[in-house]
Every structure is written in C-alpha cells, then in structure tokens.
DNA sequence: TAGTGGTCTAGACCACTCT
DNA sequence: GAGTGGTCTAGACCACTAT
C-alpha cells in the first residue's frame, strides 16, 4: 500500500497540507504560539511524519514558523526589515556599519584564487579580511566578511592585531573615499563558520549580499554578507518613499 | 539498526555528503553534465536515498545543480546576474521593463484587504493589476504583479481589455512621473500561479522583490516580483562600479 | 525523565522523458 | 519499456530542552 488512496489530486499531499496549515495558523494561532507537535499533527492529518515535515519545511522557508529542538514549532513573527543600502545610497559612511555591526575578528593574508578573482588581484596578494556580524534588537541577522587589498590602504599601520586592526582597516577604507557601491543578492546556505555566528545549524538558508566598493574608479573592497533568510527582509530604501512607507505602517497600526 | 554506526561525528551525514559532492562536482564534472542517478549515488556512499536527496536539496538551494524528472541531476551553470535597479536607479523609465518584460494579462477590480493595506487604500477601491513575466535569454526568470490604484491614473481610458489595457496602465503610470522607488527582497516560495509562469513546481524557492513606486510624494504603485532563486542573482548596480565589474569578468575569462 | 524536533533507514509507487 | 527524479510510508534512534 505504498502510497495514497486519495490520489487523482495532481497536487502533492505536502503542498496541500501547507495550504491547510497556513490557513489554520492565520485564523487560529498568533505569533509565538506553539503548534501541536509533529507526531500529533501527522496523525491528525493522516499522513506520515515525514510528509508533514515537508509541509513544515516550506512554511519555515517562507518565514512563517520557527522550529526549536526540544521546544516545539512556533508561529513566527513577520520578518524584520533590515536596511541594506541606506537612503544615502552609501555615499557617506558606506562601510559605516552604524551601531549594529560588531567586529568578530580581523586577519591579513594572501588571497585565495577565488578571492583574488573577485577582487581583481593576483593570487597571493595580501588582503585584510574583517569578519563582523550585524545585531539588530539583540538578534544576529547577518555575518559578513569584508575583504580589502592591502594595496588599497597605503597608510595602514599593520602593527596592531585583532579588533584594533579591524578598526584601522575600516577607518582607512573610509578615508580613501568610497564613491560607489554595487550589490547583488542571491540565495545560499550558511556554512559552518557563518552558521555558528548566526546561531543556526549548517545549511540554513541565507540571503547572500555581495557588495563591491569602488574608490577612485577602482574596486577597493568586497563584502560578502549572509543574512538569515528566515527572519530578514532586506530593504533598499530611498528617503522619498520611506516617508510614505512610514505613513503606511502607522495607518496599518491604527486599522 | 535504526541509524548510524559511524556516529560521533557531530556533523549530519547529509551535510558531510553535500561537502563531498560539492568537491566532486568542482573537480570531476563540468556545467551541464549529469551526475550518476540517485540510486547509484546513495549506494556508492552507503546511505539511504532519502539522505542523499537531502544533500542534493542543499546543493539545489545553492543553485549548484538542477534536477530534471525523467532526465537526471545536472551540474548547474553559474547564476545569471539579473539587474533589478538599473544604473539610473529607476529615475527614467522606472516601470519600463525594457525588452525582456512580457505582459501576461491585466485585470481591474476591488482591492483585497491585504492589497489595500500595502497600497494604503481603503478596502474595495479599484486597482489595476498587470501580471507580467521577465524573460532573459529565453528563460523566464521572474513573474510580477504590478498593482496600480485606479485613482492614480485619472487619464486612463478603461475601454479596452487585456494586453491593450496593460499597455495603457504602464503608459499612464510612466506619464504621472514616478520619482522614487523603494525595494525589499526576501525569500519565499512560488505558489501555483507564479510557479506555472516560472515553469517550476509549486514550492520552488523564489526571491520576492517588492517595489514601491512613488509619484508626487505619494505611493503610486506596488510591484511584487518573484525571481527564481535557483537561477537568479539580483544585481543592484551603479554605473561607476559596473565598468569595473565588466573589466573583472573579462579578466576572469582570460585566465 | 518525558517530550520535542532532527536525522536516518528501507522500501514502495507515481509522474515524467527518452528510445 | 526502461530509467529518472518526486512523493510517501512506518518505524527507529539521536540531540536537545524542560521539569
């Protein structure tokens, strides 16, 4: 009896389940509430636990629920809007980071083949790498590696180590005058290092933001930022509309 | 014998498998080549097929391979860079679409509660909805719904239907003068309608780009675009760096 | 210790594509 | 018809969190 008797629906069971669960969540549950456990849900819907989990996987990918080992499955809060390019478009304080960036460490070494390629350098040239994380409202939303060729920072004193060096790199980069940014966004999964910073298991879906910083017409630095896809909505705002959006939010709150 | 004898690795089997497969793909396979079938791979690595598939799921999410029913599992080509905000930042021809947007249909009707909220309207107000898809190099990369309140287009003659109306809406929207854009990007899954347009099964991961268009300080339209996450890398370019990037690509091609 | 989600297995059938 | 990936099942054990 390998499989279904109710066939002829053309729609996979897990997809139909997802729809039903979504409706249930919207009508009978609220943010933060725990759903019945997987064994009970699968029994209730008359499917194998694996099939139920496939439906939950979808909803988790959509950011609609959060699963915590040992705890249960919770209805997720709406995603946080995380500004990636500020209203200023990166003109002033491009590499800034504002208050929510925390430096993790800083290393200097020869560029790998892949890194040399993206930085348009010869393999083995010295590159500073600043690893940092972005913490918004107590939650780590992103891990980043910022790569800067030593050659781009002629006035950097490489005497200090660790966080001091990171500060030096960021300050010098600011000083050379970043005058342009180019970004790309794609889907990826967190490898072990980033996963640890993001407090998530390896394989967690992330939005990979690659930012190329230009200074004096040349590529001065590349930042690879991985944002938690479950909790983040990346925003690329312009002030003109931002005002309008704020008005909307207010209106929605009233209604 | 429920599970493993080789335990004590702390790393899930499927994650380790992913790493091994990734290395194998990079060294022994090239773009477009088909991997051994799932039954053979699972036997070769001594795991259940479901476990192997979990590893393949990861690699597919990363855009490293493509699975085709009835055909096999292929090594994917690198993701295509798809410009979302052009160098002009949307100032001229914001809703343009360029040559690669194809109108699917156009409807006019009362706004749902959710839509009214995002458009900052009262529920039930008339809204034009243009559905279109973006085709790059013969591949459909995105499906979009562009919502425009009727009230924002006072000079639109609503006599024609279908594609003619779509053209009218786009032209009128252009005419009222869009003077600002605000975007967000988040992870989602394709529902049945979009999935069909994207030629993918429901549940396919997509990058959801929500664009708010402002005209005269007011929200004039909202576009929800779903880009295939497997094949697309969204780019938000600025001309200054774009030149540099082109140089890079050339350099990489030579090496 | 009890309960939860996470991983893994072995086997089955279905839907699709090619020859 | 043969071969592929897609779906589904029933059951087991593991890792974690609470009490």
């Amino acid at each position: 009896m390998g499989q279904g008797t109710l066939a002829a629906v053309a729609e996979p069971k897990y997809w139909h389940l997802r729809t039903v669960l979504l409706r249930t969540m919207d009508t009978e549950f609220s943010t933060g509430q725990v759903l019945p456990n997987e064994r009970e849900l699968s029994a209730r819907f008359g499917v194998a636990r694996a099939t139920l989990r496939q439906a939950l996987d979808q909803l988790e990918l959509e950011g609609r629920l959060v699963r915590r080992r040992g705890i249960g499955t919770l209805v997720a809060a709406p995603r946080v809007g995380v500004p990636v390019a500020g209203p200023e478009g990166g003109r002033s304080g491009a590499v800034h980071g504002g208050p929510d960036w925390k430096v993790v460490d800083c290393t200097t070494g020869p560029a790998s083949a892949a890194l040399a390629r993206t930085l348009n350098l010869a393999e083995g040239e010295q590159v500073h790498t600043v690893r940092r994380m972005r913490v918004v409202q107590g939650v780590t939303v992103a891990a980043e590696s910022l790569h800067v060729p030593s050659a781009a920072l002629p006035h950097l004193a490489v005497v200090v180590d660790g966080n001091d060096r990171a500060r030096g790199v960021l300050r010098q980069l600011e000083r050379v005058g970043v005058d342009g940014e180019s970004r790309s966004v794609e889907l990826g999964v967190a490898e072990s290092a980033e996963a640890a910073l993001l407090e998530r298991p390896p394989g967690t879906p992330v939005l990979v933001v690659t930012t190329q910083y230009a200074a004096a017409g040349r590529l001065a630095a590349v930042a690879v930022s991985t944002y938690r896809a479950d909790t983040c909505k990346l925003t690329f705002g312009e002030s003109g509309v931002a005002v309008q959006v704020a008005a909307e939010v207010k209106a929605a709150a009233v209604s």
Side-chain angles (χ1 to χ4, degrees), chain A:
Chain A
M1 205 267 289
Q3 175 193 350
T5 51
L6 287 176
V9 278
E11 198 179 45
K13 264 188 190 177
Y14 75 86
W15 184 254
H16 181 243
L17 243 185
R18 165 196 168 274
T19 308
V20 173
L21 286 169
L22 198 50
R23 187 158 35 92
T24 306
M25 286 166 56
D26 282 338
T27 60
E28 301 175 25
F29 289 84
S30 52
T31 296
Q33 211 170 344
V34 305
L35 300 180
N37 71 55
E38 297 184 349
R39 287 161 181 90
E40 179 176 338
L41 281 177
S42 57
R44 182 181 304 180
F45 289 108
V47 299
R49 193 177 153 216
T51 303
L52 171 79
R53 279 181 62 79
Q54 220 174 334
L56 295 180
D57 285 343
Q58 292 281 349
L59 292 169
E60 191 176 31
L61 207 60
E62 298 174 66
R64 298 300 305 262
L65 53 80
V66 179
R67 294 192 273 190
R68 295 208 192 130
R69 189 188 292 219
I71 305 288
T73 302
L74 294 75
V75 178
R79 288 195 177 117
V80 189
V82 180
V84 173
E88 76 285 356
R91 242 43 127 159
S92 64
V95 197
H96 61 334
D100 47 354
W101 285 100
K102 316 280 184 204
V103 170
V104 175
D105 60 23
C106 177
T107 60
T108 302
S112 69
L115 182 54
R117 201 172 331 114
T118 65
L119 276 170
N120 205 14
L121 296 173
E123 185 175 346
E125 280 196 55
Q126 291 290 307
V127 174
H128 302 294
T129 298
V130 177
R131 282 204 311 154
R132 51 183 187 170
M133 46 199 259
R134 187 168 178 180
V135 182
V136 175
Q137 294 166 18
V139 184
T140 304
V141 295
E144 179 180 280
S145 288
L146 175 67
H147 306 284
V148 190
S150 292
L153 303 179
H155 302 310
L156 179 68
V158 199
V159 287
V160 293
D161 221 58
N163 283 14
D164 283 342
R165 175 151 44 153
R167 270 190 289 277
V169 169
L170 292 173
R171 194 167 49 234
Q172 286 298 319
L173 185 54
E174 202 73 53
R175 200 156 295 175
V176 300
V178 168
D179 54 12
E181 299 178 16
S182 174
R183 281 197 181 74
S184 70
V185 178
E186 63 185 314
L187 180 59
V189 304
E191 313 252 343
S192 51
E194 309 139 10
L197 285 179
L198 297 178
E199 296 161 349
R200 299 254 45 190
T204 299
V206 290
L207 296 170
V208 181
V209 180
T210 306
T211 308
Q212 300 177 302
Y213 297 99
R218 285 192 46 82
L219 189 59
V222 169
V224 179
S225 317
T226 58
Y227 284 82
R228 282 179 57 157
D230 55 348
T231 55
C232 293
K233 174 167 65 172
L234 308 181
T235 64
F236 301 80
E238 291 190 10
S239 44
V241 190
V243 175
Q244 182 64 29
V245 174
E248 263 176 67
V249 172
K250 231 172 287 177
V254 170
S255 69

